[in-house]
Amino acid sequence: MSIFVNEQNGTFHLQNHFVSYIMAVLPNGHIGQLYFGKKIRDREDFSYLLEGCIRSHSALTGSDTRRLSLEHVRQEYPFAGGTDYRQGAVRIMQENGSCLTDFVFRRYALTGGKPVLEGLPATYTEDDGEAETLHLYLEDEKAHMELELLYTIFRDEAVIARSARVRYTGSGSVRIEKMMSLNLDLPDDRYDWIQFSGSWARERYPMTHPLHQGIQSVGSIRGNSSHQHNPFVILKRPDATENAGEALGFSLLYSGNFLIQAETDTYGVTRMQAGIHPEYFAWKLEEGESFQTPEAVLAWSEEGMNGLSQTLHRLYQRRLCRGEWREKARPILINNWEATFFDFNEEKLLQIARKAASAGIEMFVLDDGWFGARRSDNAGLGDWYPAQEILPEGIKGLSEKIEAMGLKFGLWIEPEMVNPDSDLYRAHPDWILRVPDRQASLSRNQYVLDFSRPEVVDHIHAMIADILRNASISYIKWDMNRSISECYSAVLPADRQGEVYHRYILGVYDLYERLIGEFPHILFESCAGGGGRFDADMLYYAPQAWASDDTDAAERMKIQYGTSYGYPISSIGSHVSAVPNDQVGRITPLKTRAEVAYFGTYGYELDLNLLSDEEFEAVKTYTDFMKEHRELLQFGTFYRLRSPFEENEMAWMVVSKDKKEAIAGLYRTLNVPNESFSRLYLTGLDPDLSYEVEGYGRHFGDELMNVGIVTSTVMSGKQNGSVCRAADFTSELFIVHAG
Ligand code: DGJ
């Protein structure tokens, strides 16, 4: 990894084993984007890549820079209001009412490693040799502002981390109206855009379409990253597949309102941007103040989308997740939510836990309904003390009883919210987000607390920390069950109300940071009404996230498959639940439910006392299987093999780093009468190694990858000569060992 700087011609070339990222100072002092893609060798001068040309009707910037029409130049961080008629990366309203800025290059600095972004989640390094950072400093003298563009190139990954910071040095104030974390002008538009979208209970479906002239975007203005769209987008070459071809990933480390967009101009140039959504955003800067954007991660692969996903999986597992749980296999838990919903008392919980302990499960998680007057979703939210009538000896008493069974104990919280029927709301009705003299909307019978106010965060922190200090708690599920509306803070002046959404999420980050700082052994799982906050930044605090409230195995195949594009398997919260499924009423085999959930953190969300003896024995077997293989399943190299969005059969697999172990899962949605022959082609194995595939004999890696496993009989229920009943929603695992 190196950053080459040619001071004579103002060229910067970030290069590692995989990629090159090249920029140059333009004749007008702005920074031009010259190249991003597969590594190329460095050379003295890349100016031939500056394709600035003058066309009919071109507007030229400045009298002394006649060669330059910004509209026709690929730029690094374009400014609003000039001769670039595409969308700018930054728009800052100055006191004279103008948004025109003209930041010109002043100097640069190189630092080893990666700087911390204060108060914000970000990828990190553990020693300075792992990455190098280029800081470009620009200035707009007339507007009294300095801009710093940060680029970190990692030594071992095809990744560049980006962010920007602006500082105001004048008197009075300016107002930032838009400030993107990343802008990347690509020289052509021959890409398919893949977004990960959906809704509650069907999150992160991959949706693909070719880029076209104009703007295409995904975003959220809900205050969370949302069930609807994910802050992650892929651009892939049209011929790129899962295993070959060029793909670029744009991942924003931010849980608030976000925007990722591609603007394809009239000459086929594609401008990608990712950052805080400018809608509802305005940030006032007074003299000496600065604003730092969240981080955006730009990843690249020439090994298709599996290659791209594997890069992000490794980076996020090793250099975004932190703490004790970073690369540790996850405990197998049982959560009482779908087993009881709000209808439980301590004895019922203990019964579930007792049975779980006898199945080899490792942790019991108490979900919603344990505190205050919370006997339904109508009351009690915000009152973080145990309900006496449910837990006579409190959380401490319950956790001790659970631990005496040999289980760890985990707890659900929803710290950002309050029911109007709660002691907290009665004491502090002004602590919610609400526009004065207007009604605040309820959603799931709750209001959103104003986490932009430090005293609100302090109060919630005190309550939650008190519980964590006084009971033995090994896991926290942090939920957020509604989107933000009427976003207004009672304590900020009118000209700072545009800051509330961002200040809110900074408050969330702050509370997380304080809790993980004091309780580093606790495993956090983030959640927002299922998968409404499944984003990269959360992994900085909570290394796993509840993927969806939809626990049906057939739906989960899609949700987990889509999630795997941007996020590691170790982060995907997955449980085996009861049938008929609570969300879709579907009945799927227990085996399939387990075999889908294996490709995630794995747990249970049902009352095991209600299973037949045979089913309970199966649960024990599944639990043992997961214990034996979870390192491989959660931290192995993951490959998508067949898409549930394209076929009736879905397949994925994991391979150990040394390629000696692998597990492939093959899943069928509907059974097929008189079906065609079929094969499952494995990938990622060593072609020269001889592997034993349990129940399928010995084969070399090249055979398993090129000839494939004959699966026609497996999925129709005829295996090894024995005929079993074929059914819908069946699955089969292939356990592969070398030697
Ligand atoms: C939504 C979560 O996704 C569920 O798992 C459960 O925790 C409920 N909230 C509780 O209110």
Side-chain angles (χ1 to χ4, degrees):
M1 159 200 67
S2 321
I3 299 180
F4 301 98
V5 179
N6 184 331
E7 294 190 353
Q8 306 306 314
N9 57 18
T11 305
F12 304 91
H13 180 179
L14 293 82
Q15 183 204 65
N16 67 13
H17 183 64
F18 312 96
V19 289
S20 282
Y21 191 106
I22 306 173
M23 301 169 268
V25 180
L26 297 171
N28 68 346
H30 297 188
I31 309 288
Q33 156 60 222
L34 302 189
Y35 175 75
F36 173 57
K38 190 178 170 80
K39 174 192 174 181
I40 55 167
R41 73 197 67 223
D42 192 48
R43 58 182 277 168
E44 271 290 291
D45 186 10
F46 284 103
S47 57
Y48 72 96
L49 289 171
L50 268 177
E51 292 168 276
C53 62
I54 311 299
R55 300 178 193 249
S56 163
H57 295 89
S58 291
L60 306 181
T61 130
S63 53
D64 56 342
T65 56
R66 291 198 55 82
R67 273 187 55 246
L68 203 63
S69 164
L70 287 180
E71 190 184 359
H72 303 124
V73 172
R74 282 181 287 121
Q75 294 166 72
E76 206 40 45
Y77 202 70
F79 313 120
T83 61
D84 184 336
Y85 297 100
R86 297 161 294 185
Q87 301 231 329
V90 60
R91 192 173 65 237
I92 303 177
M93 178 62 77
Q94 295 136 64
E95 286 207 317
N96 65 1
S98 163
C99 282
L100 181 67
T101 48
D102 186 26
F103 287 97
V104 295
F105 175 75
R106 290 286 182 242
R107 65 196 167 88
Y108 73 93
L110 298 178
T111 52
K114 187 166 184 296
V116 170
L117 304 184
E118 187 130 6
L120 287 167
T123 53
Y124 60 89
T125 51
E126 288 200 328
D127 73 71
D128 283 358
E130 288 180 14
E132 197 174 1
T133 300
L134 169 68
H135 309 245
L136 296 179
Y137 297 98
L138 293 87
E139 187 186 15
D140 184 332
E141 253 179 357
K142 293 205 167 64
H144 308 288
M145 285 185 286
E146 294 162 359
L147 177 68
E148 181 185 359
L149 304 178
L150 287 119
Y151 301 81
T152 298
I153 182 158
F154 285 82
R155 181 188 57 209
D156 301 326
E157 299 295 353
V159 163
I160 306 234
R162 305 256 317 252
S163 71
R165 170 197 286 268
V166 70
R167 183 160 175 271
Y168 181 57
T169 56
S171 56
S173 64
V174 292
R175 193 174 74 234
I176 306 170
E177 295 181 339
K178 176 181 182 183
M179 191 162 171
M180 292 284 109
S181 302
L182 165 151
N183 181 95
L184 179 64
D185 285 2
L186 295 161
D188 67 76
D189 58 359
R190 285 182 300 101
Y191 292 100
D192 286 339
W193 156 284
I194 310 178
Q195 64 189 59
F196 299 88
S197 300
S199 188
W200 173 80
R202 49 182 169 84
E203 296 92 342
R204 293 174 299 286
Y205 284 15
M207 297 176 184
T208 307
H209 62 256
L211 287 182
H212 54 80
Q213 186 174 339
I215 290 178
Q216 40 253 279
S217 71
V218 286
S220 165
I221 49 169
R222 293 169 171 268
N224 50 28
S225 53
S226 87
H227 302 86
Q228 285 71 17
H229 296 296
N230 195 263
F232 174 58
V233 162
I234 295 176
L235 289 188
K236 74 163 189 73
R237 292 299 186 187
D239 57 356
T241 64
E242 281 290 2
N243 294 317
E246 189 183 34
L248 281 65
F250 301 83
S251 177
L252 185 67
L253 277 60
Y254 193 58
S255 270
N257 293 344
F258 79 92
L259 177 70
I260 301 185
Q261 77 176 31
E263 179 175 9
T264 300
D265 76 11
T266 180
Y267 304 111
V269 170
T270 299
R271 171 167 291 175
M272 285 296 294
Q273 292 186 343
I276 295 177
H277 204 303
E279 186 83 19
Y280 303 138
F281 173 78
W283 195 276
K284 183 176 171 184
L285 285 183
E286 291 180 334
E287 185 175 353
E289 288 182 341
S290 52
F291 182 81
Q292 166 70 54
T293 71
E295 176 165 304
V297 161
L298 173 61
W300 179 88
S301 170
E302 61 178 341
E303 289 170 350
M305 288 174 294
N306 273 326
L308 187 73
S309 300
Q310 289 159 10
T311 296
L312 288 169
H313 293 181
R314 279 191 305 268
L315 180 75
Y316 289 170
Q317 279 174 332
R318 294 177 192 162
R319 291 296 179 259
L320 179 58
C321 293
R322 298 176 292 171
E324 280 177 28
W325 288 99
R326 186 171 76 173
E327 287 170 88
K328 200 151 132 190
R330 301 301 149 75
I332 298 174
L333 61 82
I334 185 154
N335 176 305
N336 74 302
W337 178 244
E338 284 194 34
T340 64
F341 295 103
F342 288 107
D343 181 18
F344 62 86
N345 55 27
E346 190 180 69
E347 188 39 41
K348 195 164 176 183
L349 299 177
L350 292 174
Q351 271 172 22
I352 295 173
R354 238 174 257 126
K355 193 75 175 168
S358 69
I361 291 169
E362 297 163 315
M363 183 186 285
F364 175 84
V365 175
L366 173 54
D367 210 280
D368 196 354
W370 56 268
F371 48 89
R374 186 81 167 170
R375 298 298 79 76
S376 72
D377 62 19
N378 245 324
L381 207 50
D383 299 338
W384 299 109
Y385 42 84
Q388 184 69 28
E389 70 269 32
I390 291 191
L391 303 174
E393 292 165 58
I395 290 294
K396 184 172 187 318
L398 176 66
S399 65
E400 281 168 1
K401 289 172 201 164
I402 299 282
E403 289 202 334
M405 296 175 193
L407 295 167
K408 297 280 184 200
F409 178 74
L411 195 63
W412 177 97
I413 56 172
E414 191 177 3
E416 301 155 66
M417 302 287 161
V418 65
N419 283 127
D421 183 2
S422 66
D423 294 344
L424 181 69
Y425 183 75
R426 282 183 282 274
H428 300 286
D430 62 326
W431 275 12
I432 64 163
L433 294 171
R434 157 189 282 160
V435 180
D437 302 326
R438 292 190 187 268
Q439 210 187 328
S441 305
L442 282 167
S443 173
R444 209 194 188 209
N445 306 311
Q446 63 200 51
Y447 293 131
V448 184
L449 287 170
D450 182 356
F451 260 46
S452 74
R453 291 170 66 171
E455 69 274 27
V456 176
V457 177
D458 286 348
H459 185 90
I460 300 295
H461 170 259
M463 282 195 282
I464 306 279
D466 188 54
I467 295 164
L468 299 182
R469 281 180 203 134
N470 292 308
S472 180
I473 296 175
S474 304
Y475 160 105
I476 284 287
K477 176 177 173 188
W478 176 320
D479 207 344
M480 187 227 190
N481 277 299
R482 64 159 291 182
S483 302
I484 294 176
S485 59
E486 295 96 22
C487 188
Y488 188 99
S489 174
V491 293
L492 282 177
D495 61 356
R496 287 200 179 267
Q497 290 298 330
E499 300 175 13
V500 181
Y501 273 113
H502 184 59
R503 286 184 185 275
Y504 177 93
I505 200 69
L506 294 181
V508 171
Y509 295 153
D510 178 44
L511 181 56
Y512 257 119
E513 194 66 46
R514 285 201 250 171
L515 292 177
I516 62 170
E518 185 174 349
F519 307 101
H521 67 285
I522 292 183
L523 170 62
F524 281 82
E525 176 156 346
S526 67
C527 172
R533 218 185 223 170
F534 205 120
D535 32 65
D537 60 314
M538 276 294 134
L539 300 180
Y540 188 66
Y541 308 101
Q544 59 190 58
W546 184 226
S548 177
D549 273 347
D550 199 331
T551 54
D552 169 70
E555 298 300 322
R556 272 302 184 119
M557 290 181 208
K558 293 183 179 165
I559 293 166
Q560 293 175 211
Y561 195 93
T563 305
S564 76
Y565 281 89
Y567 306 99
I569 302 309
S570 57
S571 72
I572 302 178
S574 56
H575 296 171
V576 174
S577 64
V579 289
N581 178 266
D582 186 60
Q583 289 79 22
V584 291
R586 186 174 291 140
I587 296 179
T588 54
L590 188 56
K591 175 173 178 288
T592 306
R593 280 176 270 154
E595 291 181 354
V596 173
Y598 286 156
F599 289 79
T601 59
Y602 196 77
Y604 295 90
E605 193 156 332
L606 75 176
D607 186 347
L608 296 173
N609 295 293
L610 304 179
L611 298 186
S612 67
D613 290 349
E614 193 188 340
E615 287 172 322
F616 184 68
E617 286 308 310
V619 164
K620 284 185 182 167
T621 316
Y622 302 147
T623 305
D624 287 346
F625 178 89
M626 189 60 188
K627 281 183 189 166
E628 190 183 340
H629 297 287
R630 59 186 154 184
E631 288 281 349
L632 171 59
L633 287 159
Q634 293 169 353
F635 294 95
T637 306
F638 177 81
Y639 293 87
R640 289 171 298 273
L641 301 179
R642 276 193 211 164
S643 168
F645 299 95
E646 289 163 15
E647 295 184 51
N648 188 39
E649 282 179 8
M650 186 283 263
W652 52 30
M653 72 181 288
V654 286
V655 183
S656 64
K657 308 238 155 38
D658 62 6
K659 301 192 179 205
K660 290 192 171 150
E661 309 286 329
I663 299 177
L666 175 64
Y667 309 79
R668 166 172 290 180
T669 306
L670 295 182
N671 196 21
V672 180
N674 197 16
E675 64 172 339
S676 310
F677 297 110
S678 70
R679 302 273 171 97
L680 177 65
Y681 300 93
L682 302 190
T683 188
L685 301 175
D686 182 334
D688 300 322
L689 274 185
S690 164
Y691 293 94
E692 180 67 29
V693 183
E694 287 182 19
Y696 190 73
R698 180 162 287 281
H699 306 268
F700 276 100
D702 59 357
E703 240 179 296
L704 293 169
M705 294 192 288
N706 298 302
V707 179
I709 295 176
V710 176
T711 54
S712 333
T713 50
V714 174
M715 297 307 281
S716 62
K718 290 192 205 109
Q719 200 182 357
N720 299 332
S722 70
V723 180
C724 48
R725 206 151 30 101
D728 295 336
F729 313 116
T730 48
S731 65
E732 209 53 56
L733 288 190
F734 298 93
I735 322 288
V736 182
H737 317 273

